[in-house]
């Protein structure tokens, strides 16, 4: 009985690859680069999408902002009590926060003020209040920073404190009270948290005012209704719901995806040119070899099996190498160059790490776009030659 | 027994250019016979060999080997027929130049997927018989013409075929190596193999172990 796997054929296929080492080295190189590019782009977008979804999920259900002349102004804190009276609202908190542009590093920090004894609108803040003594932070004029902020500050030699420039031009020295982990990587990297009183001083914000008000609704299905009621109650406000924020984030992401799409098309186009070149014929040397093999008793099936093994080894090796390099490039080295294309809003954010998102679908898609196509492009012209009369081929 | 009945072979060189290589050829070769097909280049000798080896199909007529009509075999069956019955020694040897001697001789066995011991035994046997065992691992392109021919002969015999076909076997050999080839032929003949040789080399004329010499001229048996 014949054995199922013909190791001689596999050995012959590997030998055939090694015999044409220059040509195959070129194919493996190009194939690997294309796989690497495709998977890198997919990995980066997957990570960013994950990051974006995580960020959006941690955002408040409703944000109420006071508008004046089409611009966002400070809102009266006493509006919180009126909002709390709306049926369905389970909580409302006046937030004190703002962006602080750190010119040396060219980045924006999100500076957030927390009142220790208030209801916190984020789980991570509840944990912070439990973990750190805010009375002591107020007393020492200290702040808590995300890991990215700490790195950025240290790069500018602010290791123990930071001097904030107040609107009147004077400095506010705030010492480093601790480092925290946020809900998401993006958040933890650009956020500074400190007692509300210090934030008010840095941004020159009156105690009767807040940056905005966040509202929690018990039943998520009622978010739109509550938003409409707030708008009716305070016509001078802008109401932003989680849904609106998702759309806004998605728009930025989709814009970046357009660039990705262009890159994706160029990569695929290059791949198909190579495939077309390969599919359009076999060399006279390869043709002769097929003729010899047939003349000494190989069937068309034997020839095609050998060609299958040959192309499978090349394409699978290149695919594996491309994916491996891509994993290292994206998650180990944090995708230098490519990452800048996608993280367009990095001007507002400090450096952050691309979270590892293993997506089988992505790997399968790249596999389908490369390996079977390459195998087919190798087998079809070989099949054309193998079905000719052997005499015609070797004559 | 090999029988060629009313064989005509026409090659289509191009749309309007057809070459009649064989015309109404009838030939019977008995088992164990050694036949020499003589004739000038282009006379149709190689075409007869190619038809017997099922490397090509006749335009009309029949090729019958051991009672089976092989001229109408589908492609895959023709390959299997060659694998089981034919050992072909080509004029230009048709070896894979970048493979070693052993790897080239192994090629006809590959589709059969034999045990490595069995394959090795067969390869060693033919390498010894045709005195090429000392070059076992040498790459074929680095061998001399005579050595390459011995590799081609070993490869043609590794499956122990009943029929040996040789197309201009001495065309690329000097006199000494040609004489050596005749010794090999004599040995193959002693193994009761049917041997068909196409040649225009006068060396093959009047040899005691050749059963018949057949003259081909312009696609016809003279």
């Amino acid at each position: 009985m014949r054995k199922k796997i013909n190791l001689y054929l596999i050995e012959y296929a590997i030998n055939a690859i090694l015999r044409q080492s220059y040509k195959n080295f070129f194919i493996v190189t190009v194939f690997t680069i294309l796989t690497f590019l495709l998977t890198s782009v997919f990995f980066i977008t997957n990570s960013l999408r994950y990051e974006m979804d995580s960020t959006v999920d941690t955002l408040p259900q409703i944000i109420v902002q006071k508008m004046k002349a089409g611009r966002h102004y400070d809102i009266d804190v006493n509006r919180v009590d009126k909002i709390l009276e709306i049926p369905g609202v389970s909580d409302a908190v006046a937030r004190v926060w703002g962006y602080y542009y750190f010119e040396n590093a060219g980045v924006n920090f999100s500076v957030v003020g927390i009142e220790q004894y208030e209801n916190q609108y984020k789980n991570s803040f509840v944990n912070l209040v439990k973990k750190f003594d805010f009375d002591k932070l107020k007393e020492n004029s200290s702040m808590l920073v995300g890991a990215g902020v700490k790195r950025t500050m240290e790069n500018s030699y602010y290791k123990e404190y930071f001097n904030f420039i107040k609107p009147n031009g004077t400095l506010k020295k705030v010492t480093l009270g601790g480092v925290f982990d946020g809900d998401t990587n993006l958040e933890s990297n650009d956020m500074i948290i400190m007692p509300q009183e210090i934030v008010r001083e840095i941004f020159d914000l009156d105690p009767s005012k807040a940056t905005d008000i966040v509202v929690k609704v018990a039943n998520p299905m009622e978010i739109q209704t509550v938003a409409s009621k707030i708008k009716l109650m305070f016509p001078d406000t802008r109401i932003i719901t989680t849904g609106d924020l998702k759309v806004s984030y998605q728009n930025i992401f989709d814009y970046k995806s357009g660039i990705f799409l262009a890159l994706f098309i160029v990569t695929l186009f290059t791949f198909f040119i190579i495939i077309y070149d390969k599919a359009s014929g076999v060399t006279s040397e390869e043709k002769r070899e097929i003729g010899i093999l047939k003349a000494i008793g190989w069937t068309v099936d034997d020839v095609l099996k050998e060609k299958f093994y040959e192309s499978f080894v090349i394409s699978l090796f290149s695919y594996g190498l491309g994916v491996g390099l891509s994993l290292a490039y994206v998650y180990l080295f944090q995708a230098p160059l490519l990452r800048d294309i996608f993280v367009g809003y990095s001007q507002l954010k400090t450096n952050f790490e691309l979270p590892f998102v293993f997506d089988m679908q992505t790997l399968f898609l790249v596999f389908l776009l490369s390996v079977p196509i390459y195998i087919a492009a190798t087998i079809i012209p070989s099949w054309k030659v193998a079905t000719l009369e052997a005499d015609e081929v070797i004559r | 027994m090999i029988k060629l009945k009313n064989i005509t072979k026409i090659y289509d060189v191009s749309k309007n250019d057809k070459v009649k290589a064989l015309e109404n050829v009838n030939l019977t070769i008995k088992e164990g016979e050694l036949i020499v097909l003589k004739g000038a280049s282009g006379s149709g000798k190689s075409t007869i060999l190619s038809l017997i080896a099922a490397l090509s199909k006749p335009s009309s007529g029949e090729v019958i080997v051991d009672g089976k009509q092989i001229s109408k075999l589908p492609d895959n069956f023709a390959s299997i027929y060659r694998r089981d019955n034919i050992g072909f020694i080509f004029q230009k040897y048709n070896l894979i130049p970048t493979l070693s001697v052993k790897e080239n001789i192994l090629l006809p066995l590959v589709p059969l997927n034999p045990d490595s011991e069995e394959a090795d035994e067969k390869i060693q046997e033919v390498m010894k018989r045709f005195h090429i065992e000392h070059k076992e691992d040498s790459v074929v392109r680095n061998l001399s013409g005579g050595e390459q021919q011995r590799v081609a002969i070993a490869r043609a015999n590794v499956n122990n075929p009943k029929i040996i076909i040789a197309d201009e076997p001495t065309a690329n050999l000097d006199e000494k190596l040609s004489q050596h080839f005749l010794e090999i032929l004599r040995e193959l003949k002693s193994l009761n193999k049917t041997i068909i040789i196409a040649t225009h080399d006068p060396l093959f004329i009047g040899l005691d172990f050749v059963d018949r010499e057949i003259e081909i001229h312009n696609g016809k048996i003279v």
Side-chain angles (χ1 to χ4, degrees), chain B residues 120-136:
Chain B
D120 208 47
E121 202 176 295
K122 284 184 175 178
I123 292 166
Q124 292 301 332
E125 190 199 326
V126 287
M127 279 198 302
K128 265 183 201 151
R129 195 193 302 160
F130 301 107
H131 312 293
I132 196 72
E133 75 272 24
H134 60 292
K135 296 282 182 180
E136 183 177 338

Side-chain angles (χ1 to χ4, degrees), chain B residues 160-180:
Chain B
N160 195 23
K162 287 186 292 189
I163 303 164
I164 299 288
I165 293 171
D167 190 6
E168 301 285 4
T170 54
N172 300 308
L173 302 180
D174 60 24
E175 203 184 324
K176 193 181 164 196
L177 289 171
S178 298
Q179 286 294 346
H180 183 70

Side-chain angles (χ1 to χ4, degrees), chain A residues 2-3 5-6 8 12 15 19 288-289 292 294-302 389-391 394-395, chain B residues 11 50 55-57 75-76 79 82-83 90 94 96 98-99 103 107 110-111 113-116 119 155:
Chain A
R2 278 178 70 163
K3 287 175 234 164
I5 298 172
N6 190 333
Y8 293 105
Y12 184 85
N15 264 333
R19 273 187 283 136
R288 185 171 177 78
E289 189 171 318
I292 294 170
K294 280 202 69 195
I296 60 173
W298 285 39
T299 61
V300 175
D301 294 352
D302 297 324
E389 278 191 348
D391 186 50
I394 55 174
R395 189 176 273 266
Chain B
Y11 287 108
S50 167
L55 287 172
S56 66
K57 290 185 169 64
D75 196 78
N76 268 358
S79 289
R82 276 195 294 277
R83 183 197 301 163
F90 297 92
N94 277 342
I96 311 277
T98 44
L99 291 182
E103 287 163 342
L107 286 177
V110 167
N113 196 13
D115 289 332
S116 60
R155 186 183 67 182

Side-chain angles (χ1 to χ4, degrees), chain A residues 158-201:
Chain A
Y158 283 110
K159 293 189 176 170
E160 285 165 8
Y161 67 92
F162 186 78
N163 281 328
F164 288 93
I165 303 169
K166 292 194 282 187
N168 62 9
T170 58
L171 294 177
K172 171 70 183 171
K173 182 180 174 181
V174 184
T175 57
L176 184 64
V179 181
F180 65 91
D181 298 319
D183 289 342
T184 72
N185 206 336
L186 276 174
E187 186 182 270
S188 67
N189 272 294
D190 83 328
M191 199 177 273
I192 298 175
I193 289 173
M194 51 182 101
Q196 220 175 69
E197 202 180 289
I198 304 172
V199 180
R200 285 185 186 282
E201 191 184 341

Side-chain angles (χ1 to χ4, degrees), chain A residues 183-395:
Chain A
D183 289 342
T184 72
N185 206 336
L186 276 174
E187 186 182 270
S188 67
N189 272 294
D190 83 328
M191 199 177 273
I192 298 175
I193 289 173
M194 51 182 101
Q196 220 175 69
E197 202 180 289
I198 304 172
V199 180
R200 285 185 186 282
E201 191 184 341
I202 290 169
F203 292 138
D204 189 23
L205 194 67
D206 192 85
S208 66
K209 301 281 184 188
T211 313
D212 52 27
I213 296 169
V214 292
V215 182
K216 208 183 251 180
V217 180
N219 179 2
M221 303 293 283
E222 289 179 356
I223 291 175
Q224 279 308 328
T225 316
V226 172
S228 309
K229 284 184 179 171
I230 297 170
K231 184 72 185 168
L232 269 176
M233 194 180 275
F234 303 111
D236 61 343
T237 57
R238 177 169 66 185
I239 317 293
I240 304 164
T241 63
T242 321
D244 299 331
L245 284 170
K246 272 189 179 170
V247 170
S248 153
Y249 271 90
Q250 192 64 47
N251 285 344
I252 297 172
F253 193 78
D254 287 347
Y255 168 70
K256 295 295 165 192
S257 293
I259 299 169
F260 151 72
L261 192 67
L263 193 64
F264 177 76
I265 289 168
V266 170
T267 311
L268 270 190
F269 188 67
T270 317
F271 182 69
F272 284 110
I273 287 175
I274 293 167
I275 290 298
Y276 175 77
D277 183 54
K278 193 154 177 59
S280 54
V282 287
T283 61
S284 58
E285 207 176 306
E286 286 170 314
K287 206 171 169 181
R288 185 171 177 78
E289 189 171 318
I290 292 172
I292 294 170
L293 294 175
K294 280 202 69 195
I296 60 173
W298 285 39
T299 61
V300 175
D301 294 352
D302 297 324
V303 173
L304 295 187
K305 265 187 216 163
E306 189 275 319
K307 289 291 167 192
F308 170 81
Y309 291 140
E310 215 177 293
S311 53
F312 185 71
V313 167
I314 286 181
S315 54
L316 196 71
F317 174 76
S318 309
Y319 169 79
L321 190 63
V323 170
L325 286 174
S326 171
L327 278 170
Y329 171 73
V330 176
Y331 297 119
L332 202 65
F333 299 108
Q334 291 295 303
L337 297 176
L338 262 188
R339 157 203 177 102
D340 295 339
I341 297 175
F342 295 100
V343 192
Y345 49 100
S346 64
Q347 292 304 313
L348 302 177
K349 302 276 180 181
T350 54
N351 285 339
F352 74 97
E353 296 213 335
L354 290 165
F356 181 74
V357 182
F358 189 77
D359 183 18
M360 274 306 287
Q361 268 183 319
T362 300
L363 294 179
F364 189 62
L365 179 68
V366 178
F367 180 86
L368 277 185
L369 283 171
S370 54
V371 176
I373 294 171
Y374 181 81
I375 290 174
T378 307
I379 284 182
I380 291 167
S382 303
W383 170 77
K384 279 187 196 162
V385 174
T387 48
L388 294 173
E389 278 191 348
D391 186 50
E392 193 185 327
V393 180
I394 55 174
R395 189 176 273 266

